[in-house]
Amino acid sequence: VTLLGRNGAGKTTTLRSIAGILDFEEGDILIDGHSIRTEPVAAKQVTAFIPDNPDLYDFLTGIAYLNFIADLYAIPAEKRQTLISKYGDAFELTRALGSPVAGYSHGMKQKLALISALIREPKLLVLDEPFVGLDPVASHILKEYLHELCNNGAAVFFSTHVLEVAQKLCDHIAIIRDGHLVECGKTEDVVGNSSLEEVFLELARQGGEAVEAVQ
């Protein structure tokens, strides 16, 4: 599922609320049957959240950071080694894992954050603008792993400004405006015979707003 909306519409606020970082005044959020309010630990144990600009521990090496995350989520040693090798090789980061995170580029940090989420095999993966900073090859690899997660029974919920990616990649589309959900459904139902860009722009016009869409 992708969450679309203009800057300031509430996308990041929504994602951070799902992740249990921001509190909310009404309603509840259930993840795998666990309330993020009353069962925050249980909900977070099955959720992985990667913000648009992840803060990592710069003083650690990449492998130390991944082992730290694996320790937090009690991933067995043999399994973590297999998963770190799988994703490290796929994102071409294995050779840099012995180096301090402080020396990583933005794209390398983004890859490390993604690997730290994927090794946990979450039931819900929440991503805020996950393709920003990734090169085309890494973006393609990430899309494949997002499909793999969903095919294995997990769910992926992410925000993006790249409408073409949203339309091609996602099974469902949700669009918010000023904090309110204005459209939600299967991608083919939302898009219909037009394009996602046309739908998005039309919904923005209905709100009396000008929109700058990213192709």
Side-chain angles (χ1 to χ4, degrees), residues 36 59 67 81 85 95 110 128-129 145 148 156 161 207:
I36 195 67
F59 61 89
N67 278 314
Q81 289 174 3
S85 294
R95 291 185 179 181
Q110 183 77 354
D128 195 356
E129 296 287 350
Y145 284 133
E148 181 181 281
V156 176
H161 281 110

Side-chain angles (χ1 to χ4, degrees), residues 101-153:
V101 176
Y104 282 22
S105 66
H106 175 72
M108 293 171 68
K109 288 182 178 180
Q110 183 77 354
K111 291 177 181 179
L112 184 66
L114 289 168
I115 293 171
S116 74
L118 291 169
I119 64 173
R120 291 167 46 190
E121 299 180 321
K123 291 187 176 181
L124 173 63
L125 178 58
V126 182
L127 305 164
D128 195 356
E129 296 287 350
F131 301 103
V132 173
L134 294 182
D135 58 71
V137 174
S139 295
H140 176 72
I141 292 169
L142 175 58
K143 292 172 188 176
E144 290 185 335
Y145 284 133
L146 296 183
H147 279 301
E148 181 181 281
L149 272 175
C150 292
N151 290 337
N152 290 333

Side-chain angles (χ1 to χ4, degrees), residues 156-169:
V156 176
F157 189 55
F158 73 93
S159 70
T160 183
H161 281 110
V162 187
L163 302 183
E164 183 180 359
V165 169
Q167 183 170 347
K168 290 182 177 180
L169 182 63

Side-chain angles (χ1 to χ4, degrees), residues 191-210:
V191 173
N193 295 323
S194 58
S195 69
L196 182 56
E197 181 182 22
E198 292 172 337
V199 173
F200 186 75
L201 290 171
E202 179 60 29
L203 289 171
R205 293 190 191 100
Q206 291 174 8
E209 300 169 326

